[in-house]
């Protein structure tokens, strides 16, 4: 994909974002070829755009898939982030967590889901027998898949029953899924989990660096505002729909990077320590980012804060969103200006 | 120049009042009660405020999480909604809150509580509870007791008189048990909790009651709280069943002795790890903080008094 197309896409998304406050309907795909229509309606348009099927898709299919992608995802251009590197050190009186200089790390450009994956989204994966299809699960995880059941013993997230999400929470982020389940869904959808640095880039790129050597703490600025996020201080104590708290979105329309649910990312969690200290984790952990409705300290729900949970953790406060690398997509991005205007006219 | 407490009222007759904990006669110039080491300022604050007080004490083995529990409880109460909110009544109470919150936000746990009674931090907090017709105010008073001191007092009554006085005065008592030790380390935690329960029963005269269940003294409301449940989800799922399965002696004893008792599970960390260094020191650190089940035991205790 050329640089010109990338910039054009980014600008196009900014244009798209203006009417996005009203959450425009998913593009009408009635006129798409039947196989493409089914994939796009299942929100698996990235399977079309990354050509993960055995046969190539035609131009019409690709055009509809692009429309769907731009409805659901935002472009995050490549660039640098500052990775906070706290180190656990042994001191005279015990142990301490000492800050060290941030690492400057590059993140590739990618499209990121505007919203976390919802219960409704995840239900399509469950109904498509995603739990029963071994191609979505690594071989070493297969024995565990039988234990990934809901409250009634059916395959699905922990807090569902009879294989169905709570009806009043269809538009809430799916929770009660472990890191492997998040990966399996992403795989099914033709996407992937974000790397930790990509996640941070999504929350911090829009306003760039705030000053020499610093990054914005939250997508909207440096000051915490409980009206823009759902964490402990907001007093809700549960998840909310993925489209709420839009005031806390990034300027290109990525919602709830901070708060509501922690987000699994595709990076293992390993606290840094000096040579004399060993850190024992009960299980292998993956990083989670962004804080959740029950995160107590606002300093722990920022774009820079990193923590982790065991890969098999299926808690009520961890969900995920997906992404796709720009360079994994077929170089067939349609004329963005005409697409934006056609969306607006609908 | 900063005045010392005993200089403030110089030239006036000393103000005399009773220790909130042991009813010993105190003068304002005393820093601590000579009998039980309760800070005089606490007794003075309570004496001048009047009204009913409700002692709640928190017991548990060393490293069960008492300090973190109390400090965070106070912080959560101060941020609570109108239906259940509480504020520390003085700087001395905020010490504990500050110590715990600062440590947790920096992703460490606070230092161990020293065994010396005069170094213990006391919590005094006025809680307003919204009830059907009007709001009720409850004074929550609890020292942050050292686990080692509790163990010594339980083994040899009178070693730490303050503990006995506090337990005797308490309408509500929490027994904190480390859920991971309960699950993974055999009967030690169960047996120590039994000791605490029998100490409570003794202090409240419940040990040798032979009257029928219906007519016997209710005694204090006892909340058994399994802590550190981020590492023991089994306790969080069903605390009563967890108690029955893993602390069967305590479970039976509480059923026998305490008319009002309940089991709870709580956690403060979302996840944690164990640090060790080449000198053999070990310490658990929280990776992030997401309190769970901290307020519920206190709510239950207060509801027992209404």
């Amino acid at each position: 994909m050329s640089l010109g197309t990338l910039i054009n896409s980014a600008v196009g998304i900014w244009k798209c974002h203006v009417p996005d406050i009203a959450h425009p309907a998913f593009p009408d795909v009635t006129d798409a070829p039947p196989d493409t229509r089914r994939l796009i309606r299942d929100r698996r348009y990235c399977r079309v755009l990354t050509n993960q099927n055995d046969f190539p898709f035609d131009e019409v299919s690709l055009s509809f898939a692009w429309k769907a992608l731009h409805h659901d995802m935002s472009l995050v251009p490549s660039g640098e982030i500052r990775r906070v590197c706290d180190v656990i050190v042994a001191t005279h009186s015990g142990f301490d967590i000492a800050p060290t200089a941030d690492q400057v790390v590059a993140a590739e450009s990618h499209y990121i889901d505007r919203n976390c994956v919802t219960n409704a989204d995840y239900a399509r994966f469950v109904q498509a027998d995603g739990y029963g299809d071994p191609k979505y699960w690594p071989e070493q995880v297969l024995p565990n898949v039988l234990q990934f059941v809901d409250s009634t013993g059916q395959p699905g997230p922990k807090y569902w029953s009879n294989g169905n999400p709570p009806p009043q929470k269809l538009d809430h982020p799916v929770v009660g899924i472990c890191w492997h389940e998040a990966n399996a869904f992403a795989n099914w959808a033709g996407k992937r989990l974000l790397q930790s640095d990509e996640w941070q880039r999504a929350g911090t790129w829009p306003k760039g660096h705030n000053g020499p050597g610093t990054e914005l703490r939250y997508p909207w600025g440096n000051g915490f505002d409980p009206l823009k996020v759902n964490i402990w201080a907001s007093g809700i104590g549960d998840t909310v729909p993925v489209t709420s708290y839009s005031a806390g979105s990034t300027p290109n329309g990525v919602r709830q990077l901070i708060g509501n649910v922690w987000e699994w990312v595709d990076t293992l969690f390993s606290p840094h320590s000096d040579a004399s200290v060993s850190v024992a984790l009960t299980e292998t952990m993956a990083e989670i980012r962004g804080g959740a409705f029950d995160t107590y300290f606002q300093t722990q729900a920022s774009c820079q804060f990193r923590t982790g949970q065991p890969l098999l953790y299926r808690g009520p406060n961890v969900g995920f969103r997906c992404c796709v690398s720009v360079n994994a997509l077929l170089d067939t991005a349609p004329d963005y200006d005409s697409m934006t205007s056609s969306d607006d006219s609908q | 120049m900063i005045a010392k407490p005993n200089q403030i009222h110089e030239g006036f007759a000393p103000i005399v009042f009773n220790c909130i904990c042991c009813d010993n006669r105190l003068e304002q110039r005393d820093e601590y009660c000579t009998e039980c080491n309760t800070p005089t300022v606490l007794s003075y604050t309570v004496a001048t405020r009047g009204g009913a007080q409700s002692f709640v004490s928190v017991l548990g083995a060393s490293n069960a999480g008492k300090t973190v529990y109390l400090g965070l409880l106070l912080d959560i109460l101060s941020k609570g909604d109108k239906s259940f909110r509480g504020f520390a009544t003085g700087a001395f109470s905020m010490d504990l809150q500050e110590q715990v919150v600062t440590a947790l936000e920096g992703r460490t746990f606070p230092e161990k509580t020293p065994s010396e009674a005069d170094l213990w931090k006391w919590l005094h907090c006025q809680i307003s509870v919204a009830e059907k017709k009007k709001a009720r105010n409850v004074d929550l008073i609890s020292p942050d007791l050292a686990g080692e001191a509790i163990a010594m007092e339980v083994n040899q009554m009178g070693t730490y008189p303050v503990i006995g006085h506090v337990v005797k005065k308490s309408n509500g008592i929490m027994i904190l048990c480390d859920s991971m030790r309960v699950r993974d380390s055999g009967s030690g935690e169960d047996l120590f909790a039994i000791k605490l329960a029998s100490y409570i029963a003794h202090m409240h005269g419940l040990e040798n009651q032979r009257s029928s269940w219906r007519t016997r003294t209710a005694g204090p409301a006892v909340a058994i709280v399994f802590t550190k449940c981020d590492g023991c989800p089994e306790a969080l799922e069903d605390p009563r069943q967890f108690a029955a399965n893993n602390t069967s002696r305590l479970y039976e004893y509480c059923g026998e002795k305490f008319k009002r008792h309940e089991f709870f599970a709580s956690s403060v960390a979302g996840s944690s790890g164990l640090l060790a260094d080449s000198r053999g020191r070990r310490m658990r650190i929280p990776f992030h903080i997401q309190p769970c089940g901290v307020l519920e035991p206190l709510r239950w205790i207060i509801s027992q008094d209404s």
Side-chain angles (χ1 to χ4, degrees):
Chain A
M1 183 173 286
S2 69
L3 182 64
T5 313
L6 263 178
I7 294 168
N8 196 25
S9 297
V11 173
I13 284 166
W14 279 70
K15 284 182 186 171
C16 266
H17 176 56
V18 177
D20 192 42
I21 295 164
H23 312 310
F26 192 71
D28 180 9
V29 291
T30 316
D31 295 334
D35 52 342
T36 309
R37 194 163 61 218
R38 186 171 42 80
L39 283 170
I40 294 177
R41 281 186 174 155
D42 281 347
R43 301 293 211 270
R44 301 174 73 197
Y45 41 82
C46 281
R47 291 214 150 254
V48 177
L49 294 171
T50 54
N51 201 15
Q52 292 177 19
N53 282 25
D54 295 336
F55 51 90
F57 288 94
D58 60 17
E59 285 294 312
V60 178
S61 298
L62 292 171
S63 161
F64 278 106
W66 272 109
K67 269 191 182 184
L69 180 143
H70 285 302
H71 176 272
D72 280 358
M73 305 180 89
S74 290
L75 178 72
V76 177
S78 61
E80 291 175 345
I81 59 121
R82 302 191 74 86
R83 191 189 284 165
V84 174
C85 296
D86 294 338
V87 177
I88 301 166
V89 294
T91 63
H92 181 67
S93 58
F95 299 92
D96 201 4
I97 298 177
T100 61
D102 295 348
Q103 287 178 346
V104 177
V105 182
E108 295 298 314
S109 52
H110 56 281
Y111 282 94
I112 180 175
D113 284 348
R114 291 176 204 264
N115 300 324
C116 280
V117 172
T118 64
N119 280 311
D121 295 332
Y122 201 84
R124 285 189 278 271
F125 170 64
V126 175
Q127 283 157 13
D129 195 25
Y131 281 79
D133 192 336
K135 71 171 174 280
Y136 301 126
W137 307 89
E139 199 178 327
Q140 68 274 20
V141 178
L142 285 174
N144 293 99
V145 177
L146 294 174
Q147 294 164 13
F148 298 156
V149 291
D150 67 17
S151 59
T152 57
Q154 299 294 311
K158 184 176 176 182
Y159 305 102
W160 290 18
S161 60
N162 296 314
N164 293 309
Q168 74 281 11
K169 287 192 170 181
L170 289 176
D171 58 352
H172 287 227
V174 64
V175 292
I177 38 97
C178 70
W179 183 80
H180 298 293
E181 289 167 282
N183 270 297
F185 174 93
N187 191 358
W188 172 80
K191 302 179 182 178
R192 62 177 173 84
L193 291 189
L194 290 100
Q195 296 286 328
S196 188
D197 298 334
E198 291 172 332
W199 184 96
Q200 185 167 329
R201 177 75 182 151
T204 56
W205 81 269
K207 288 187 181 173
H209 291 280
N210 189 36
T214 60
E215 258 177 6
L216 290 181
R217 215 170 284 150
Y218 308 105
W220 60 87
N222 276 326
F224 176 72
D225 183 349
L227 299 177
K228 291 180 175 167
V229 289
N230 178 22
I231 67 167
W232 181 286
S234 317
I236 293 171
D238 197 0
T239 57
V240 294
V242 294
T243 49
S244 48
Y245 287 99
S246 50
S249 304
T250 64
N252 60 337
V254 180
R255 301 184 190 92
Q256 294 177 2
L257 277 170
I258 303 297
N260 210 21
V261 287
W262 292 101
E263 297 179 20
W264 287 118
V265 293
D266 190 14
T267 305
L268 291 184
F269 178 62
S270 54
H272 297 283
S273 60
D274 71 17
S276 64
V277 181
S278 66
V279 185
L281 306 176
T282 46
E283 296 170 63
T284 307
M285 286 185 167
E287 278 194 17
I288 50 172
R289 303 293 302 254
F293 63 86
D294 54 0
T295 299
Y296 195 68
F297 296 116
Q298 64 214 42
T299 49
Q300 298 185 353
S302 72
C303 290
Q304 287 75 28
F305 185 80
R306 292 156 187 263
T307 182
Q309 284 289 9
L311 298 181
L312 295 174
Y313 177 75
R314 305 176 90 216
N317 60 352
V318 185
F320 68 103
R321 75 177 76 218
C322 302
C323 77
V324 59
S325 297
V326 166
N327 58 19
L329 297 168
L330 297 172
D331 191 10
T332 54
D335 177 352
Y336 225 92
D337 284 337
S338 64
M339 182 173 256
T340 305
S341 58
S342 90
D343 277 354
D344 290 346
S345 64
Q346 278 177 5
Chain B
M1 190 174 134
I2 299 169
K4 291 179 181 168
N6 60 356
Q7 293 173 322
I8 293 171
H9 296 279
E10 209 167 350
F12 295 89
I15 302 169
V16 177
F17 47 91
N18 291 342
C19 171
I20 181 70
C21 189
C22 67
D23 294 326
N24 189 27
R25 206 89 172 128
L26 294 177
E27 289 186 8
Q28 202 179 3
R29 67 177 60 129
D30 302 325
E31 274 193 74
Y32 295 95
C33 171
T34 49
E35 164 70 17
C36 71
N37 274 319
T38 304
T40 306
V41 64
L42 174 68
S43 300
Y44 179 71
T45 307
V46 172
T48 50
R49 281 162 52 84
Q53 293 87 41
S54 176
F55 260 90
V56 173
S57 46
V58 178
L59 304 178
S62 175
N63 216 14
K66 296 179 291 300
T67 304
V68 170
Y69 182 84
L70 273 176
L72 199 61
L73 176 67
L74 193 53
D75 201 55
I76 292 173
L77 281 170
S78 70
K79 294 177 176 178
D81 61 25
K82 283 179 184 169
S83 66
F84 199 76
R85 179 183 286 174
F87 294 103
T89 54
F92 66 93
S93 287
M94 287 175 195
D95 272 358
L96 180 66
Q97 183 179 356
E98 185 189 16
Q99 179 202 7
V100 170
V101 166
T102 306
L104 292 180
E105 193 156 23
R107 283 179 286 165
T108 57
F109 288 118
E111 287 178 10
K112 274 181 78 67
T113 305
S115 294
E116 295 83 2
D118 58 341
L119 295 178
W120 294 343
K121 293 186 168 77
W122 283 70
L123 176 155
H124 179 208
C125 164
Q126 188 175 35
I127 303 171
S128 74
V129 186
E131 290 181 337
K132 278 178 188 168
K133 289 183 180 168
K134 57 175 185 178
R136 182 163 64 104
N137 287 328
V138 178
D139 276 89
L140 169 68
I141 301 168
S142 178
D144 177 27
L145 304 169
E148 288 80 2
I150 295 172
M152 287 169 76
E153 167 65 16
V154 168
N155 287 331
Q156 175 95 46
M157 277 187 209
T159 315
Y160 284 87
V162 62
I163 298 176
H165 290 299
V166 166
V167 169
K168 214 179 272 186
K169 276 231 164 180
S170 295
N171 323 40
I173 299 171
M174 297 185 207
I175 299 177
L176 267 51
C177 301
D178 180 331
S179 62
M180 287 193 282
R181 283 208 302 248
V182 165
R183 185 192 59 188
D184 303 332
S185 305
S187 303
E189 198 77 0
D190 186 17
L191 291 168
F192 187 76
I194 282 259
K195 273 188 187 175
L196 292 177
S198 90
Y199 180 81
I200 295 165
H202 175 79
M203 285 297 172
H204 284 265
L206 305 174
E207 246 182 348
N208 299 312
Q209 283 198 107
R210 295 190 189 280
S211 53
S212 74
W213 180 252
R214 208 157 50 84
T215 56
R216 71 166 55 173
T217 317
V222 178
I224 296 93
V225 184
F226 294 108
T227 55
K228 308 183 187 181
C229 288
D230 59 297
C232 182
E234 298 86 350
L236 211 50
E237 276 168 19
D238 188 345
R240 178 170 278 277
Q241 194 58 51
F242 181 78
N245 294 346
N246 296 279
T247 54
S248 53
R249 303 174 188 91
L250 176 69
Y251 184 83
E252 293 299 330
Y253 187 87
C254 287
E256 185 69 27
K257 294 291 175 191
F258 304 119
K259 253 187 167 178
R260 301 177 301 166
H261 72 277
E262 192 51 87
F263 296 90
F264 297 89
S266 81
S267 65
V268 164
S271 61
S272 57
L274 191 63
L275 305 182
D277 72 357
S278 47
R279 291 159 60 186
R281 295 180 300 178
R282 290 155 68 90
M283 188 176 90
R284 189 161 281 280
I285 58 161
F287 293 136
H288 60 276
I289 303 301
Q290 54 184 54
C292 171
V294 174
L295 220 46
E296 283 74 0
L298 181 66
R299 262 186 203 274
W300 175 79
I301 283 175
I302 288 178
S303 75
Q304 298 298 304
D305 265 355
S306 60

